[in-house]
């Protein structure tokens, strides 16, 4: 098998978050929903907006902008909830808007520079440049795992 045949292709869902562009592996996305008012839960972290009823399942919804330390904003009807699955657990990620689905190879991704504060793995696993746009690829396990450990 040649080297060219072993390059893995991936598809990413891109979305807007505080005027910045992020992406997630499309294989982790279960559905995209319009903004739905959440039911807040006591003692939850501030970035956890509450829960919604997703066809009989209680779905926790996280404000991804606040979770990533970006500027806070109010939720509007234009916001979108991306329902993702990680370790058989569904989580809703509140974002500003969904942009596109892009297909890449692993060669198109670059590792992020070492700028972490030493608090564990970073939430950005890679960067890619598409049409002069720098797109951050989120490490879903870092984002969701920290929520699970905070809630425990």
């Amino acid at each position: 098998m040649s080297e060219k045949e072993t390059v893995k292709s991936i598809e990413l869902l891109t979305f807007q978050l505080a005027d910045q562009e992020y992406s997630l592996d499309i294989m982790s996305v279960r559905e995209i929903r319009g903004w739905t008012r959440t039911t807040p839960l006591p003692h939850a972290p501030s970035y956890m907006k509450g829960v919604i009823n997703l066809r009989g399942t209680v779905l926790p919804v996280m404000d991804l902008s606040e979770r990533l330390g970006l500027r806070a904003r109010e939720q509007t009807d234009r916001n979108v909830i991306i329902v993702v699955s990680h370790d058989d657990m569904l989580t809703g990620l509140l974002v500003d808007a969904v942009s596109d689905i892009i297909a890449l190879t692993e060669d198109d991704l670059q590792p992020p520079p070492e700028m972490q504060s030493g608090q564990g793995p970073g939430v950005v696993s890679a960067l890619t440049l598409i049409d002069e746009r720098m797109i951050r690829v989120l490490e879903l396990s870092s984002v969701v795992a920290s929520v699970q450990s905070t809630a425990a």
Side-chain angles (χ1 to χ4, degrees):
M1 185 177 288
S2 74
E3 183 177 316
K4 202 172 207 176
E5 293 173 309
T6 61
V7 175
K8 183 180 173 188
S9 63
I10 57 172
E11 288 186 314
L12 302 173
L13 174 70
T14 64
F15 53 91
Q16 298 290 317
L17 201 56
D19 298 326
Q20 299 176 17
E21 198 161 15
Y22 289 84
S23 65
L24 284 170
D25 186 341
I26 195 79
M27 296 306 291
S28 64
V29 176
R30 293 297 170 251
E31 67 180 86
I32 299 168
R33 304 177 50 89
W35 166 245
T36 302
R37 186 171 299 279
T38 60
T39 301
L41 295 177
H43 304 293
S46 64
Y47 54 81
M48 292 304 296
K49 294 304 170 193
V51 296
I52 62 172
N53 180 356
L54 181 67
R55 295 181 294 280
T57 300
V58 175
L59 179 73
V61 176
M62 169 195 322
D63 183 336
L64 191 56
S65 181
E66 191 172 338
R67 167 65 184 95
L68 298 179
L70 304 174
R71 65 182 158 86
R73 61 185 171 18
E74 288 193 28
Q75 286 76 46
T76 69
D77 290 340
R78 299 185 68 186
N79 292 136
V80 175
I81 297 172
I82 301 172
V83 179
V84 296
S85 176
H86 177 70
D87 287 343
D88 296 326
M89 182 175 173
L90 295 177
T91 304
L93 304 176
L94 178 63
V95 302
D96 295 344
V98 171
S99 303
D100 203 358
I101 296 174
I102 55 175
L104 304 170
T105 66
E106 289 183 336
D107 291 342
D108 297 321
L109 301 175
Q110 299 178 25
E114 291 293 328
M115 298 173 62
Q116 304 297 322
S117 60
Q119 299 176 355
V123 294
V124 174
S125 64
L127 301 166
T128 188
L129 187 64
I130 296 178
D131 298 331
E132 305 294 323
R133 302 175 351 236
M134 182 69 73
I135 300 174
R136 300 153 191 91
V137 181
L138 286 181
E139 179 62 48
L140 186 61
S141 62
S142 295
V143 174
V144 176
S146 66
V147 171
Q148 292 170 344
S149 65
T150 301

